[in-house]
Amino acid sequence: MWKTALKLAVFIFLRSKINHVKDDIGNSLGTVKENMALLAESRAFIFKQNFHRELSRLGNSLLGFMFMLLAALCSGLTGLIWLFAIAWGSPDRNIILSIILIVPLTIGIGIYLYLRDSWKKEPLFDKTMMQIHSDWLLFRNGLHNVSEEIEGSDRK
């Protein structure tokens, strides 16, 4: 009988310890879940901002390319007009038409160089990819090496 009572006391003691550990794990998991939800929400907000900024950048580039195409088209049409002007023999046609040809082409080349330089400085969704990379390092390695690895990747 004492053996049974001792076994019962040990089981009750172990059950209370297991319940205590379950409560501690449950609270920790709840905190982890809450922190993960906050992290996901903040990352979604950052990604949304980056996406809107990139869309604006794409729109500006599209407008730039449209103006560049318009400048090339304007120069082409001016070249055709120049061919017709030769037939009429205008005395100042060389100066007028060469300026009309060169100005839109120069503007188009300037727009192209500006857009090319802006896209080489910062590729599409560059900040978003860096954020995903840093999050991946955080989840893979934990907090202890993240700052060192992020600093190492920024130097490359």
Side-chain angles (χ1 to χ4, degrees), residues 2 10 19 28-29 36-37 45 49-50 56 61 64 69 73-74 78 83 87 100 103-104 107 132 138 147 149 151:
W2 288 107
V10 168
N19 287 337
S28 297
L29 287 177
M36 289 297 293
F45 181 72
Q49 285 180 333
N50 288 341
S56 172
S61 295
L69 180 63
L73 184 65
C74 183
T78 305
L83 290 174
I100 291 174
V103 169
I107 291 172
I132 291 171
L138 176 69
S147 61
E149 290 190 26
E151 288 175 5

Side-chain angles (χ1 to χ4, degrees), residues 93-108:
R93 75 176 180 278
N94 290 336
I95 295 172
I96 295 169
L97 293 173
S98 62
I99 289 173
I100 291 174
L101 278 171
I102 290 173
V103 169
L105 284 176
T106 306
I107 291 172

Side-chain angles (χ1 to χ4, degrees), residues 10-29:
V10 168
F11 283 132
I12 291 173
F13 176 74
L14 288 177
R15 177 180 264 175
S16 69
K17 291 298 179 184
I18 289 173
N19 287 337
H20 181 67
V21 169
K22 282 183 183 178
D23 288 340
D24 286 346
I25 290 174
N27 291 338
S28 297
L29 287 177

Side-chain angles (χ1 to χ4, degrees), residues 108-154:
I109 290 170
I111 290 172
Y112 172 76
L113 292 175
Y114 173 75
L115 290 175
R116 190 176 116 220
D117 183 53
S118 73
W119 281 99
K120 282 192 175 193
K121 280 183 185 175
E122 185 179 345
L124 185 65
F125 295 114
D126 186 48
K127 289 185 180 181
T128 302
M129 291 301 145
M130 290 301 296
Q131 185 68 49
I132 291 171
H133 176 71
S134 67
D135 287 346
W136 175 250
L137 290 176
L138 176 69
F139 288 126
R140 189 179 69 188
N141 297 329
L143 292 174
H144 58 282
N145 292 330
V146 171
S147 61
E148 297 170 6
E149 290 190 26
I150 290 174
E151 288 175 5
S153 67
D154 287 343

